[in-house]
Amino acid sequence: MNASPPDCTAATPAVETESETCAVPGAAPRLSLPYDTPIFLVGMMGAGKTTIGRSLARVLGRDFVDLDHELESRCGVRVPVIFEIEGEAGFRKREAAALAHCAARRGIVLATGGGAILSAENRAVLREHGIVVYLRASVDELYRRTCRDKNRPLLATADPRGTLRDLLARREPLYREVAHLIIETGCVPVSTLVKQLAPKLQAYEKQA
């Protein structure tokens, strides 16, 4: 393809969209944390990072940031276009830069991309700068949630379920390596998951 690579070098933060920020001005959080350490959500595509992250951010009165949306705002194109033009290696390089930028922010809930943990550098950033929550789900549940989503470049295969199974097998040890907390998502309602997670975060002690 002859298209030029997207320009992702902007030094100023991208303007947040409604989907990226969930704190309501003037609204008191239902649960506050005794620290402003960022909370990073990791897990496979379809694990619920964005949906759970938005709800958790509302409960905690924090800003919510989706790393893929942040990357798209910085580049001006969608994730599949970045994959098409630069390949996965190029995308991962852009993703690492966006993660380093977002990890410096305090008081946020950040949903990472499913493959962000593939880089040892990214894992170090996540582990050292925030509290990492691994949202875990089975292959069947991940497939149910992603099978109709056409915005998943890695699943554009003849056997997306098999691709998910292989990806999870390779990534599971890395998710567990970087996680401070692990939450099983399954078929539990989002509100229930947030009720389970928020007190764990409130009780969690980590050097800020």
Side-chain angles (χ1 to χ4, degrees), residues 67-83:
L67 188 61
D68 281 349
H69 292 172
E70 175 78 9
L71 182 56
E72 288 175 344
S73 294
R74 290 161 66 90
C75 294
V77 296
R78 302 296 302 277
V79 165
V81 177
I82 302 174
F83 263 82

Side-chain angles (χ1 to χ4, degrees), residues 18 32 36 47 53 65 104 106 135 141 144 149 155 169 174 185 190 199 201 204-205:
E18 182 179 355
S32 61
D36 65 352
V65 180
R106 309 296 291 181
L135 301 179
E141 185 66 19
R144 184 185 69 80
D149 191 343
L155 296 186
L174 301 179
T185 60
V190 170
L201 290 169
Y204 192 86
E205 294 184 7

Side-chain angles (χ1 to χ4, degrees), residues 52-150:
I52 294 170
R54 285 194 184 110
S55 183
L56 180 64
R58 290 190 187 100
V59 168
L60 299 179
R62 290 188 168 206
D63 285 346
F64 170 71
V65 180
D66 183 293
L67 188 61
D68 281 349
H69 292 172
E70 175 78 9
L71 182 56
E72 288 175 344
S73 294
R74 290 161 66 90
C75 294
V77 296
R78 302 296 302 277
V79 165
V81 177
I82 302 174
F83 263 82
E84 184 179 1
I85 295 173
E86 298 189 341
E88 185 173 359
F91 171 78
R92 295 301 175 197
K93 183 177 179 181
R94 306 292 189 186
E95 181 181 55
L99 176 60
H101 171 78
C102 291
R105 297 177 59 179
R106 309 296 291 181
I108 65 169
V109 175
L110 173 70
T112 65
I117 44 76
L118 295 173
S119 161
E121 181 180 356
N122 286 353
R123 294 197 300 276
V125 167
L126 291 167
R127 186 81 186 180
E128 293 170 12
H129 291 274
I131 297 173
V132 185
V133 181
Y134 172 27
L135 301 179
R136 191 177 185 280
S138 69
V139 170
D140 287 343
E141 185 66 19
L142 294 171
Y143 179 72
R144 184 185 69 80
R145 297 174 186 174
T146 61
C147 62
R148 294 182 177 84
D149 191 343
K150 303 304 181 183

